[in-house]
Each structure stands twice: as structure tokens, then as C-alpha cells.
Amino acid sequence: MFQEIDVIQGGGEIARRAVAQYLTEHVLPLLKESQPAQIQQALAEVAAEQTYLAGWMAFDSGQHGLAQRYLIQSLRLAEASGNRMLGSHVLAGLADQATMLGHPEEGLRLARTGQHGLRGLRAPAALTDLYVLEARALAAMGRGTETAQAISAAERTFGLINVGNEPEWAKFIDEPYIAGEIANSLRDVGDPAEAQRYARQSVTAARKQNRGRRGALSQTVVAVGYAQTNDIDAAIAATHQAMDIAAGVPTSARYVTAMKDLRGRLAPYQREPGARELLARIDRTALAVTAV
């Protein structure tokens, strides 16, 4: 239920607090009780899943220190449960956070460590996510050839996913997410046409699921692509569309960061009426809550 709130409704601080309260009051106390080993491992596994979600929601709310503490706790719980796939999933979250906070070398190391942890397991969803996050880190470092290789690996493993065989937490590793993250990598290596193609695929798929946060994030990549090719009118229109999609969705630190980037790209054109109006809208709404 909490994962559905995060993925479909966009999470937000109220949802994060609800997850943290449930975790503190109902889940973690069970771990302190004396249980048979098998039950203790199962409890550690579900506690790891929920702690991961609490960390991810804290990260999306811009509370990065809190997010890291939750994710490290989740990794320890996953190790205690003996679930290697879940442990690699937590490493994916840590990799994502590292890259997005400006430490792509650490993000790359964590993503590849997660891949190593999946050796000998059939885990196409978790592996796809880790390849995508490897691509994000490589793109942030400007390593275009390796980024393309990681994207190709992600697409190969994505084609092997059978949702019915995947754990519940892997349901979000789907078309809107994967296409959107590939678009981000292609944006960062300076391939606006391909970035826009994947971003539009993500937006279309997200719209079918009513996923406003993912749709808005991917639409910003469409806007950046136009800005990179100096089609400013199209960039302005695409940015307005991203903000329309985001309306009513709880504020996401990732969305705020994307809007700051767009604002910086469009600021040189602020003398044009359309750009001036858009920049004012960004300042009034999208940047009203500052990412930590």
C-alpha cells in the first residue's frame, strides 16, 4: 500500500511520515521479539523492504542525510534476511542517491557491487535497475561509450522481466521508470534526440498509470532536449507541460532539481515574453519549495 502511494501518487512528506510511523511502531518492534530463525529472517526481509521505502521517500523529499541512514539500515536488514536480491535492490537505491548528489564514481561502484551480488540469481528486474543506474553514473562522468553499453544491457534484461515472477517491490521497475532513466542518461551525454524519444515513451506510459511525478520528470527531459538544440519556443511549451503534469503531485526534490536546471538553461532568453512568463511561473510554483 505504501509503495503504491509513493509510485502512483508521488509520495510526499505526509506519506513519508506515515511510513516512518508504521515502521517504528509496528515493524521494527517485531524484530526485537524472540522468534524461530526462519520467522526472524522473514521479519528482517519485510523490515528491509519498508525501511528502504522510508529512505527512498526521504530522499525524494530532499532529506538526504535521513535517507542515507534509512538505506544503510535497510541494507543491514537485507543482509540479515539472507535475501541477496533485496540487498542488491538497496544498493541500487544508494547508487541512485550518490549519483544524484554529485558523486557518480560512488554511484557507479555501488551499482556494480549490486550487479555482482546478483550473480547466480535470476533477477531481471533488479539487474535492469542496476544497469540503468550504472548508465546514469557513467553519463554523469561523461563516459558516453560505456553509457551506451550499460543502456543496451538494461534493455536486454528488461525484455526478460516477467512481472508474475518478480517480488512486490520490483513492480516499479517498469516502462515509465526505465525509459525515463535512460532518457536522463542520454540527456547527460548530450544526445537530445534519443533522450526525447525515451522521455516521450516514459511520459506516455506514465500517463496510462496516472503517475504524475514520473511523467513530469520525464517531460522535463523533453524540454531540455529542445533547449539543447536551441528550439526555445518548443522548450518553453514542453516546460509548461511538465509543470501541468506535476500539478497536484507532492513536491519532489528530483523535480525541483530538474526545474532549477531548466530555469538555468532558459534564463539567457528571459527578455523574450514567453520565456519571461515561464521563468516567473517556475519561481512562483516549482521552486516555491527548495530542495535540500
Side-chain angles (χ1 to χ4, degrees):
M1 180 189 72
F2 284 129
Q3 180 165 307
E4 289 292 318
I5 290 172
D6 178 60
V7 173
I8 303 300
Q9 299 178 26
E13 180 61 12
I14 294 175
R16 185 200 68 77
R17 289 178 182 176
V19 171
Q21 182 177 0
Y22 187 83
L23 180 66
T24 301
E25 295 182 1
H26 300 284
V27 180
L28 295 180
L30 291 172
L31 292 173
K32 299 177 182 179
E33 298 179 3
S34 178
Q35 305 282 0
Q38 188 175 0
I39 293 177
Q40 195 68 28
Q41 281 190 309
L43 286 170
E45 183 174 327
V46 296
E49 290 183 37
Q50 183 131 25
T51 307
Y52 173 89
L53 183 58
W56 174 250
M57 294 173 85
F59 174 63
D60 197 55
S61 297
Q63 301 177 68
H64 301 305
L66 177 62
Q68 189 171 57
R69 290 195 294 274
Y70 271 128
L71 291 173
I72 290 172
Q73 184 181 20
S74 176
L75 185 60
R76 290 171 179 159
L77 287 165
E79 290 173 350
S81 77
N83 188 326
R84 288 166 50 203
M85 191 188 308
L86 182 56
S88 288
H89 172 55
V90 179
L91 287 171
L94 286 163
D96 200 355
Q97 183 187 41
T99 297
M100 293 182 71
L101 292 181
H103 307 289
E105 297 86 357
E106 178 67 4
L108 179 61
R109 185 188 69 80
L110 289 163
R112 288 179 171 171
T113 300
Q115 293 168 28
H116 180 79
L118 292 175
R119 287 186 179 178
L121 298 179
R122 181 170 177 79
L127 190 56
T128 298
D129 191 22
L130 287 159
Y131 280 138
V132 162
L133 294 171
E134 179 184 12
R136 290 294 311 274
L138 289 165
M141 290 186 280
R143 292 159 62 173
T145 300
E146 291 172 89
T147 299
Q149 292 170 346
I151 289 172
S152 294
E155 291 187 307
R156 285 196 304 272
T157 54
F158 182 69
L160 301 175
I161 295 175
N162 181 338
V163 176
N165 295 332
E166 296 290 344
E168 195 74 16
W169 51 258
K171 287 173 63 177
F172 82 93
I173 304 171
D174 58 5
E175 184 181 8
Y177 169 72
I178 295 299
E181 292 305 303
I182 289 175
N184 286 331
S185 295
L186 293 167
R187 172 202 62 202
D188 292 345
V189 295
D191 190 347
E194 279 296 281
Q196 285 183 320
R197 181 171 73 85
Y198 280 97
R200 290 191 179 99
Q201 179 183 345
S202 175
V203 172
T204 299
R207 184 176 291 119
K208 292 177 182 177
Q209 298 180 15
N210 294 317
R211 286 168 63 175
R213 180 180 61 188
R214 172 51 58 182
L217 287 169
S218 294
Q219 182 63 26
T220 65
V221 180
V222 176
V224 168
Y226 285 126
Q228 288 175 323
T229 56
N230 295 314
D231 190 343
I232 302 306
D233 288 340
I236 291 170
T239 304
H240 276 298
Q241 290 170 12
M243 296 179 74
D244 291 343
I245 295 170
V249 177
T251 301
S252 161
R254 291 174 295 155
Y255 172 71
V256 171
T257 299
M259 278 294 149
K260 283 184 174 181
D261 175 58
L262 269 170
R263 196 194 189 291
R265 293 175 188 271
L266 296 172
Y269 306 94
Q270 59 187 312
R271 292 185 179 180
E272 299 181 18
R276 189 163 57 247
E277 177 187 346
L278 174 61
L279 293 175
R281 184 185 180 190
I282 292 174
D283 292 339
R284 187 173 61 252
T285 57
L287 302 187
V289 179
T290 304
V292 175

